[in-house]
């Protein structure tokens, strides 16, 4: 049994001065029960908390630590950049170099603008798409997360053509009305929305592999179908690759599936652990961004030299080491194969979805291909499994509706530990 009294005390204290005790909601463990662990350090596959407990980390800061924690290539670049000042507010060589590198890696990107988070990237991308098309509405998919911008915090209406309803107080009806939603993997629903809003849709935005309702893969022909529809209707197709970019391949999901969107948004891995996001796409669209064009978007700390040093080191490494993706594919495949064996031994029939180094185990025996089917999962069971894993020193995403992110620091031995811990935690969780 792992005890964490110092974390518990810190969490109590945190609630007096921070809303809910955390700076981002999922960290609070509300979906799984129990107290969050306060981390002090991490190296390779392991994180260490305030109480000195060690965890095998399978979230990796929600993706960025694809090479494991405190990777030397990234840390050295940061340390080298620090003495030259933490910020200039003027252009630097590094920004030119990282832009060229991103253009060379991501198939859809001819020009790119650096920002400070994934949220900023998606907010800016839809503003540019609206400026470019002169249209107001956007289509997003139920269960896809695009950061906390107002336009994206919209759940499904009752029917496919009904207007969006805000998911969060503080999002105005006006904003919600401009966001239409469709079920993931449902091309017909998208076609219906487009027909009912002829000439009014600026952009269709989606996670090309969805990671924010648990891992959901695009059905055969879904991405290509959206591409064809957008071409026909003059709609800007935006792939939100904040999670999948530089993870599913060096060129993201767009390279893996061979479908090129008009614009892409990036984050997470792009900063190597520093707060960085980016959006980019076709020249003719990106030329609308100020000061080249009329769509305003700016940032005091955008292109920050320390963040660029970290991102540059990370992306350069990934570009020059394609074997990273072969290794991740193998490790993740072995983890899932081990889980399948566990399920079989325990007589359970749960659904596992995986693409490359992202995967989710859904506690349902139904196939999961959109948000409705994802919601058939037994989340109470997931909570017990999560806590069982935590007790065994394995740190999973604290929600059924998240993917796991595997890093290159996960060895075959650690795969075995994960599989064994999962067997025990699962057995316990189903018995309770
Ligand atoms: C994490 C994420 C975002 C938001 O990025 P932040 O850096 O947290 O603002 C946007 N889109 C997707 C697909 C994400 O996974």
């Amino acid at each position: 049994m792992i005890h964490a009294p110092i974390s518990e005390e810190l969490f109590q204290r945190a609630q007096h001065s921070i809303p809910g005790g955390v700076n981002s909601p999922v960290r609070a463990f509300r979906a799984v029960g129990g107290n969050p662990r306060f981390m002090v350090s991490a190296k390779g596959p392991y994180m260490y908390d305030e109480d000195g407990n060690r965890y095998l980390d399978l979230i990796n800061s929600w993706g960025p630590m694809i090479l494991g924690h405190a990777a030397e290539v990234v840390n050295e670049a940061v340390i080298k950049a620090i003495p030259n000042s933490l910020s200039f507010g003027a252009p630097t060589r590094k920004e030119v170099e990282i832009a060229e590198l991103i253009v060379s890696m991501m198939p859809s990107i001819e020009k790119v603008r650096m920002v400070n988070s994934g949220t900023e990237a998606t907010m800016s991308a839809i503003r540019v798409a609206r400026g470019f098309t002169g249209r107001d509405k956007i289509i997003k998919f139920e269960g896809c997360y695009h950061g906390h911008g107002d336009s994206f915090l919209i759940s499904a209406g009752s029917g496919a053509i009904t207007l969006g309803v805000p998911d969060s107080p503080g999002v105005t009806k006006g904003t919600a009305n401009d966001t239409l939603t469709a079920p993931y993997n449902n091309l017909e629903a998208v076609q219906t929305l487009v027909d009912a809003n002829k000439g009014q849709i600026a952009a269709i935005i989606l996670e090309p592999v969805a990671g924010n309702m648990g891992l959901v893969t695009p059905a055969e022909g879904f991405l290509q179908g959206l591409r064809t529809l957008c071409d026909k209707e003059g709609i800007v197709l935006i792939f939100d690759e904040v999670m999948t970019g530089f993870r599913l391949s060096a060129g993201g999901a767009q390279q893996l599936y061979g479908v090129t969107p008009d614009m892409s948004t990036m984050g997470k891995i792009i900063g190597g652990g520093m707060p960085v996001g980016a959006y980019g796409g076709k020249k003719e669209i990106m030329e609308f961004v100020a000061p080249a064009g009329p769509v305003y978007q700016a940032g005091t700390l955008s292109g920050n030299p320390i963040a660029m040093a970290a991102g540059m080191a990370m992306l350069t490494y990934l570009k020059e080491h394609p074997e990273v993706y072969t290794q991740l594919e193998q490790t993740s495949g072995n983890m899932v194969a081990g889980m399948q064996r566990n399920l079989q031994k325990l007589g359970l029939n749960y659904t596992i979805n995986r693409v490359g180094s992202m995967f989710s185990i859904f506690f349902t025996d139904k196939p999961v291909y959109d948000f409705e089917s994802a919601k058939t999962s037994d989340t109470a069971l997931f909570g017990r499994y999560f806590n069982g894993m935590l007790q065994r020193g394995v740190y999973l995403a604290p929600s059924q509706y998240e993917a796991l992110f595997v890093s290159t620091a996960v060895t075959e031995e650690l795969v075995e530990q994960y599989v064994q811990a999962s067997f025990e935690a699962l057995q316990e969780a189903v018995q309770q």
Side-chain angles (χ1 to χ4, degrees):
M1 183 84 175
I2 293 184
H3 292 279
I6 303 176
S7 280
E8 277 169 34
E9 192 196 311
L10 277 171
F11 190 48
Q12 291 307 319
R13 221 175 107 190
Q15 321 225 15
H16 294 291
S17 50
I18 306 173
V22 291
N23 280 312
S24 196
V26 260
R27 293 181 198 167
F29 280 22
R30 291 213 177 170
V32 290
N35 283 314
R37 303 297 156 89
F38 283 61
M39 299 300 167
V40 204
S41 69
K43 179 72 190 162
Y46 296 115
M47 286 200 293
Y48 299 85
D49 72 9
E50 286 274 351
D51 293 274
N53 298 310
R54 188 182 78 175
Y55 304 93
L56 169 60
D57 182 15
L58 296 175
I59 323 184
N60 286 295
S61 187
W62 303 93
M65 304 326 221
I66 190 170
L67 303 177
H69 286 279
E72 252 150 54
V73 270
V74 179
N75 279 14
E76 277 168 14
V78 168
I79 290 164
K80 204 170 143 217
I82 285 174
N84 299 327
S85 180
L86 300 186
S87 182
F88 305 110
T92 60
R93 175 184 295 270
K94 275 258 155 26
E95 291 165 79
V96 185
E97 290 172 352
I98 200 166
E100 288 170 352
L101 186 60
I102 294 167
V103 168
S104 77
M105 292 173 82
M106 295 289 279
S108 66
I109 296 189
E110 294 171 356
K111 287 197 169 186
V112 63
R113 169 62 62 83
M114 305 307 294
V115 292
N116 305 291
S117 69
T119 295
E120 263 189 74
T122 55
M123 279 167 44
S124 308
I126 57 159
R127 183 182 305 143
V128 174
R130 284 170 166 153
F132 176 72
T133 57
R135 303 170 178 178
D136 287 345
K137 292 181 182 171
I138 61 165
I139 295 176
K140 78 173 282 287
F141 293 88
E142 293 157 21
C144 278
Y145 179 68
H146 303 294
H148 63 84
D150 284 358
S151 300
F152 303 117
L153 293 179
I154 312 295
S155 72
S158 49
I161 313 175
T162 55
L163 298 171
V165 178
D167 248 355
S168 163
V171 175
T172 66
K173 282 201 199 75
T175 300
N177 283 348
D178 285 334
T179 300
L180 310 174
T181 63
Y184 198 77
N185 275 327
N186 191 333
L187 270 177
E188 272 163 46
V190 180
Q191 183 70 59
T192 307
L193 286 174
V194 170
D195 290 344
N197 297 274
K198 225 29 181 182
Q200 298 175 62
I201 312 287
I204 296 178
I205 184 167
L206 78 156
E207 299 176 66
V209 171
N212 286 291
M213 51 179 136
L215 199 279
V216 174
T217 60
E220 181 80 39
F222 179 56
L223 299 177
Q224 187 54 54
L226 292 175
R227 178 67 278 174
T228 306
L229 178 63
C230 286
D231 285 340
K232 189 163 148 255
E233 303 287 343
I235 296 169
V236 176
L237 179 61
I238 306 173
F239 279 6
D240 180 355
E241 296 233 34
V242 169
M243 233 177 215
T244 52
F246 315 107
R247 172 161 287 277
L248 297 185
S249 80
Q254 52 198 269
Q255 186 180 62
L256 188 67
Y257 289 91
V259 178
T260 307
D262 302 302
M263 297 184 80
S264 303
T265 54
M266 291 148 285
K268 298 193 168 113
I269 291 177
I270 204 174
M274 299 292 280
V276 180
Y279 67 99
K282 285 193 178 135
K283 261 195 192 119
E284 71 210 73
I285 300 176
M286 290 305 288
E287 285 298 327
F288 267 69
V289 180
V295 177
Y296 196 70
Q297 186 274 309
T300 302
L301 295 173
S302 294
N304 172 271
I306 311 303
M308 292 306 101
M312 188 74 194
M314 176 63 92
L315 299 192
T316 304
Y317 187 89
L318 294 174
K319 187 181 178 186
E320 290 173 357
H321 295 82
E323 70 275 13
V324 161
Y325 298 100
T326 327
Q327 184 196 333
L328 288 174
E329 174 68 27
Q330 182 143 22
T331 308
S332 314
N334 289 342
M335 289 170 82
V336 167
M339 270 309 276
Q340 302 280 21
R341 284 196 304 276
N342 285 343
L343 293 176
Q344 210 164 18
K345 276 191 236 165
L346 293 165
L348 302 169
N349 188 27
Y350 297 138
T351 295
I352 305 181
N353 288 349
R354 178 178 78 88
V355 179
S357 58
M358 294 168 69
F359 68 92
S360 294
I361 300 140
F362 294 94
F363 289 104
T364 172
D365 52 14
K366 303 200 170 54
V368 174
Y369 49 87
D370 65 4
F371 194 39
E372 279 307 309
S373 49
K375 282 195 292 193
T376 63
S377 300
D378 182 344
T379 52
L381 177 58
F382 176 83
R384 296 196 296 276
Y385 167 69
F386 170 87
N387 279 295
M389 290 297 274
L390 197 66
Q391 290 303 326
R392 289 171 176 81
V394 183
Y395 195 88
L396 305 175
S399 162
Q400 167 75 87
Y401 303 112
E402 302 287 353
L404 297 189
F405 301 98
V406 181
S407 81
T408 54
V410 177
T411 59
E412 281 312 305
E413 198 187 326
L414 292 174
V415 170
E416 283 315 306
Q417 285 177 27
Y418 160 79
V419 173
Q420 181 57 32
S422 278
F423 180 81
E424 294 168 17
L426 262 174
Q427 191 170 38
E428 238 173 56
V430 290
Q431 276 166 5
Q432 274 169 33

